[in-house]
Amino acid sequence: MFATMKMVSKMKFINAKQILSSYSDGTQWFGCNYNMNIYKGCCHGCIYCDSRSECYQVDNFDEVRAKANSSIIIENELRSKRQKGIVGTGAMSDPYNPMEVKYKLTREALELINKYHYGIGILTKSDLVLRDLDVLLKIKSHSEAMVNFTITTDDDNLCKIIEPNVTGSSDRFKALKTLSDAGIFCGILLMPILPFINDNIENIINIVKKAKECGVKFVHPCFGVTLRQNQRDYFFEQLDKHFVGLKDKYIHIYGNQYRCFSPKNDELWKVFKDECIKLGIIYNMNEIISELKKTKGMKQLSLFD
């Protein structure tokens, strides 16, 4: 079974009229033209998650709910869109939460994305995505197919504290290797890097080196964390629980700032860029999008052929 995944027997369904966002030009976030959130809420328990913020209006954030009739809605939307493009998923709620093991709503969506010849850009912290490698390869035969794993630390022990309910970092690296070997365009979202917790040079270098070993094409970083509203309150509660005394340091240095960059930001950026250049890994968003576009429709032999 996939790492940290547990079977879930029952899930709440909520009504939705629309699941895909309106079309955007794809020049910003990993080239995605549409955004798709089948699930609402997230049970990963990451102490830093910005999606807890009040502005997103997600009540009972730790409870995962699914949008009723999601496959019917998505098919109607894909069929009626005037412009093809890349459908991004995972920005607000991980598409591979434990509920997905049983309900397979993300897999159904991928099959529809393949049917109507759209591309896919997945952001996840779960190796359950490997289950759908066969569908990803079908999408890759005609459009862009990208899997982006968030990895903030190479230390599994620290991972269990700051991301308690996710696939461990080491297993995410293994999943990246499997996907990359199969020809999927893969990357790492290296954020957030939490000041005074994982903002050290050793961590950054280790992640970039492991990315290279796994065949990852890009690493996109942010050496800091965003804090606002009730998200800040939750984060501070977790600091008091796991990093005693650190909350006061955050309050003293950052106050109520939204963007809290590491005091080592400049140093970490230099080390990060030097390591990426040395290993041939891209990190600039424009270049990432450019390289992704080049993969559209590229065919490659695989174990599924």
Side-chain angles (χ1 to χ4, degrees):
M1 193 61 190
F2 298 101
T4 74
M5 278 290 166
K6 296 180 180 179
M7 185 65 72
V8 177
S9 59
K10 190 175 182 179
M11 177 171 57
K12 290 183 179 180
F13 286 87
I14 56 177
N15 294 325
K17 295 181 179 179
Q18 178 181 337
I19 294 179
L20 294 184
S21 67
S22 300
Y23 181 85
S24 68
D25 62 11
T27 60
Q28 300 297 319
W29 191 247
F30 295 104
C32 293
N33 305 105
Y34 299 98
N35 191 39
M36 175 180 74
N37 286 297
I38 298 171
Y39 295 99
K40 188 173 185 178
C42 186
C43 59
H44 284 342
C46 302
I47 69 172
Y48 51 72
C49 184
D50 182 67
S51 295
R52 291 182 182 276
S53 301
E54 291 176 0
C55 61
Y56 297 117
Q57 300 180 335
V58 182
D59 297 328
N60 302 317
F61 181 77
D62 295 291
E63 178 188 16
V64 177
R65 291 137 288 171
K67 295 175 182 177
N69 302 312
S70 62
S71 296
I72 295 174
I73 296 171
I74 291 169
E75 179 160 26
N76 288 336
E77 291 182 308
L78 291 173
R79 188 166 46 200
S80 64
K81 295 290 185 185
R82 293 184 177 181
Q83 292 178 281
K84 303 287 186 181
I86 301 174
V87 178
T89 186
M92 285 292 296
S93 180
D94 198 313
Y96 289 101
N97 61 72
M99 303 290 188
E100 176 64 20
V101 176
K102 177 179 180 179
Y103 290 93
K104 300 181 180 179
L105 302 181
T106 296
R107 182 175 177 86
E108 290 178 9
L110 292 180
E111 290 171 340
L112 292 169
I113 286 168
N114 175 57
K115 176 181 177 180
Y116 290 98
H117 282 211
Y118 285 74
I120 184 67
I122 295 171
L123 174 61
T124 184
K125 293 178 183 172
S126 172
D127 60 355
L128 181 59
V129 65
L130 295 176
R131 180 200 65 188
D132 297 337
L133 178 53
D134 59 331
V135 187
L136 293 175
L137 289 172
K138 291 176 183 178
I139 295 173
K140 181 180 179 294
S141 70
H142 55 73
S143 303
E144 301 89 345
M146 174 183 64
V147 176
N148 193 350
F149 272 86
T150 298
I151 299 180
T152 63
T153 175
D154 74 322
D155 182 343
D156 280 344
N157 291 323
L158 179 58
C159 174
K160 290 177 183 178
I161 296 173
I162 64 177
E163 303 161 346
N165 303 322
V166 306
T167 300
S169 295
S170 57
D171 286 314
R172 276 177 264 173
F173 279 116
K174 291 176 184 176
L176 282 167
K177 181 71 163 61
T178 300
L179 292 163
S180 294
D181 286 350
I184 300 299
F185 188 82
C186 292
I188 291 174
L189 192 64
L190 182 57
M191 63 176 77
I193 295 299
L194 307 175
F196 318 113
I197 295 177
N198 58 346
D199 61 338
N200 59 80
I201 290 174
E202 181 182 11
N203 181 48
I204 303 306
I205 289 179
N206 286 345
I207 289 175
V208 175
K209 284 184 176 179
K210 289 181 180 180
K212 178 65 176 181
E213 293 169 2
C214 296
V216 164
K217 302 301 183 185
F218 66 88
V219 179
H220 188 62
C222 178
F223 302 114
V225 63
T226 57
L227 296 175
R228 57 183 166 186
Q229 303 155 337
N230 55 315
Q231 176 218 359
R232 178 186 285 107
D233 296 336
Y234 183 83
F235 181 66
F236 283 170
E237 287 176 8
Q238 298 305 306
L239 291 186
D240 280 341
K241 182 178 179 180
H242 300 291
F243 306 95
V244 178
L246 191 52
K247 179 182 74 174
D248 293 336
K249 194 170 184 177
Y250 267 78
I251 293 172
H252 175 71
I253 294 175
Y254 301 111
N256 290 323
Q257 289 182 32
Y258 171 54
R259 293 182 175 85
C260 306
F261 291 106
S262 167
K264 302 177 183 177
N265 181 65
D266 293 344
E267 180 183 13
L268 294 176
W269 257 110
K270 184 180 186 308
V271 168
F272 168 78
K273 288 195 289 187
D274 288 347
E275 196 69 20
C276 285
I277 292 170
K278 182 174 70 174
L279 297 178
I281 293 176
I282 56 178
Y283 55 87
N284 176 273
M285 184 59 71
N286 289 337
E287 191 172 359
I288 292 169
I289 294 172
S290 176
E291 290 301 311
L292 172 62
K293 296 297 184 183
K294 293 177 184 178
T295 68
K296 183 175 181 178
M298 288 178 60
K299 293 183 178 181
Q300 178 172 319
L301 293 175
S302 75
L303 65 144
F304 295 104
D305 290 330

